């Protein structure tokens, strides 16, 4: 796993930050992230892998 962020990672982070979803009490589901980004990130499993990577990076 690389520590570098790609465009998809930035899109997820920007979506969460723009909606003030910045802690465990204010968050979005994978479905909501997909809807908010216009499904450009791919299918649910792909988004899950991207989010899991971001969580591991901290």
């Amino acid at each position: 796993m690389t520590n570098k962020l790609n465009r998809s990672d930035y899109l997820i982070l920007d979506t969460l930050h723009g909606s003030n979803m910045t802690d465990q009490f204010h968050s979005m589901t994978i479905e909501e992230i997909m809807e908010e980004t216009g499904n450009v990130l791919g299918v649910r499993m792909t988004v899950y892998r991207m989010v899991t990577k971001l969580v591991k990076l901290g």
Side-chain angles (χ1 to χ4, degrees):
M1 177 172 48
T2 179
N3 289 338
K4 294 184 179 182
L5 299 177
N6 59 32
R7 281 185 250 158
S8 299
D9 297 334
Y10 278 111
L11 182 58
I12 291 171
L13 291 174
D14 185 55
T15 301
L16 292 172
H17 187 264
S19 300
N20 286 331
M21 305 298 170
T22 55
D23 60 27
Q24 69 252 24
F25 301 111
H26 303 95
S27 60
M28 296 175 93
T29 65
I30 291 174
E31 276 297 317
E32 290 171 331
I33 292 171
M34 290 172 62
E35 288 175 14
E36 196 70 29
T37 59
N39 293 325
V40 298
L41 295 171
V43 295
R44 185 179 298 123
M45 193 64 194
T46 305
V47 177
Y48 172 78
R49 275 189 246 125
M50 291 175 191
V51 170
T52 303
K53 174 187 149 190
L54 291 171
V55 170
K56 286 180 182 177
L57 290 174

